[in-house]
Amino acid sequence: TPAAAAALRGQHIWRDEVIAERFDWGKSKQIHALALRVYRLPQPLNLPMSPAYGGCKSWITLEQDIPTPTTDPVLTDAEFAEKLKAFHSELEAEPK
């Protein structure tokens, strides 16, 4: 719901106007929120731009695998657990 999205303000990068537009787009008139854990690559990786990557997309399939043998989480386990708890708490507190 738009109220649930508003409850997550500060935990995502979208502006309120963009969220409102997303709720008005498509057949289902809904959006989904996912909690993701981010890992740091040991060094930057440059990928060539592909036409398949362009446009308005939420997800893409990379044309090549990215080796990830030595990645480290950006947040510690405790920091991530706290962020995840806040994410769930805000959604549970949002009136249905």
Side-chain angles (χ1 to χ4, degrees), residues 30-56:
Q30 63 184 0
I31 61 175
H32 302 276
L34 301 170
L36 300 175
R37 186 141 192 207
V38 178
Y39 289 78
R40 183 178 292 113
L41 293 172
Q43 57 191 355
L45 180 66
N46 292 315
L47 299 173
M49 182 60 179
S50 166
Y53 302 162
C56 181

Side-chain angles (χ1 to χ4, degrees), residues 61-85:
T61 300
L62 296 177
E63 293 178 353
Q64 67 187 68
D65 289 337
I66 297 175
T68 57
T70 57
T71 58
D72 293 314
V74 172
L75 299 177
T76 66
D77 289 346
E79 290 169 328
F80 182 71
E82 189 63 32
K83 296 277 187 183
L84 194 57
K85 180 181 175 184

